[in-house]
Amino acid sequence: GGGNSQRVLLLRRQGDGGCEAAVTARARFGWVKFKECGELLHGRRFPLKPKREVYRSCVRPAMLYGSETWCLRERELAILRRTERAMVRAMCGVNFMDEERAEDLRVMLGLAESVEQLAKANGVRWYGHVLRRDGDHALRRALEFRVNGARKRGRPQMTWKRQVEEEMQKVGLREEDASNQVRWREGVRAVADGVRRIWPPL
């Protein structure tokens, strides 16, 4: 479909790592959605539970749209982290001069996972979808696409696939696990939660 074709193009464009413009644009759109729900999310008279549910269902999806193809370097992770921390503080009624840690406030809201881990988990989830495709499918061919020429000296640059493989390794997922959708979903959930190694290596 058109959506998959667009993802193929994004994967090839991000082959050299990085997606700062896309992440910045989605963070801004997240603020648009946040402000649309401003009375509820900012209002001190509203409890935290409905704020959490609105944030999860409206704001986060706006920020993470298209994140399954993001190759996230530290710059992009920092954009997501700063955006969510500011939103969490606003929902909890805490200003930037207060000493409460953003992670503690996120837990107080009931947000077990961080937005940056969710973005990485989306990449792993979509990778499983691609691995279940036939070998001659456009998505599989895009993943196997190689640029000819000598590689620059030094540490290999982060790519989308390398990022996904690193997250898979942390939770013990292997490519052959993609055929077991229950196991793959559990692995994606572990990536989102920032868990390391939910299954022992075989």
Side-chain angles (χ1 to χ4, degrees):
N4 283 335
S5 299
Q6 187 177 31
R7 290 182 177 96
V8 170
L9 290 173
L10 285 169
L11 282 178
R12 290 186 174 179
R13 287 172 186 169
Q14 294 177 20
D16 60 349
C19 52
E20 188 173 358
V23 174
T24 300
R26 296 319 304 180
R28 288 173 179 165
F29 195 68
W31 275 117
V32 170
K33 300 301 289 186
F34 190 90
K35 290 172 182 176
E36 286 178 0
C37 307
E39 184 176 354
L40 171 60
L41 296 179
H42 279 285
R44 290 179 176 269
R45 67 180 185 278
F46 295 105
L48 294 180
K49 184 176 179 179
K51 293 183 178 185
R52 178 186 70 227
E53 297 309 316
V54 169
Y55 178 71
R56 275 179 168 169
S57 62
C58 297
V59 180
R60 265 186 173 174
M63 281 200 291
L64 293 174
Y65 181 80
S67 59
E68 59 267 26
T69 61
W70 290 351
C71 180
L72 295 160
R73 299 169 296 186
E74 185 52 40
R75 282 202 301 269
E76 291 85 34
L77 291 171
I79 292 168
L80 293 173
R81 199 176 298 125
R82 285 195 304 269
T83 302
E84 179 158 86
R85 285 176 178 175
M87 290 177 175
V88 165
R89 286 182 175 275
M91 285 186 283
C92 292
V94 175
N95 64 45
F96 288 96
M97 299 302 292
D98 294 328
E99 295 182 357
E100 285 87 346
R101 294 175 66 246
E103 289 77 11
D104 296 336
L105 296 174
R106 184 161 50 80
V107 171
M108 187 171 75
L109 270 171
L111 298 170
E113 64 287 314
S114 66
V115 69
E116 62 263 31
Q117 282 304 127
L118 279 173
K120 292 180 179 180
N122 284 345
V124 176
R125 175 181 54 76
W126 193 62
Y127 189 43
H129 168 71
V130 174
L131 290 174
R132 288 188 289 273
R133 295 284 188 171
D134 294 333
D136 60 349
H137 192 276
L139 295 176
R140 292 294 297 270
R141 293 202 305 270
L143 283 180
E144 295 163 5
F145 179 77
R146 295 289 183 273
V147 178
N148 295 325
R151 184 176 65 82
K152 294 180 180 180
R153 296 179 62 183
R155 183 180 179 182
Q157 201 163 25
M158 178 61 75
T159 64
W160 177 87
K161 188 176 180 182
R162 187 173 293 123
Q163 169 188 284
V164 168
E165 288 171 343
E166 287 183 1
E167 295 304 315
M168 288 169 56
Q169 185 176 21
K170 290 175 186 176
V171 299
L173 271 182
R174 301 167 302 163
E175 287 190 356
E176 50 264 42
D177 294 326
S179 59
N180 184 338
Q181 294 193 46
V182 172
R183 183 178 176 113
W184 198 267
R185 279 196 297 268
E186 290 174 353
V188 170
R189 182 73 258 170
V191 172
D193 290 340
V195 174
R196 287 181 178 268
R197 187 67 64 184
I198 58 175
W199 297 292
L202 298 178

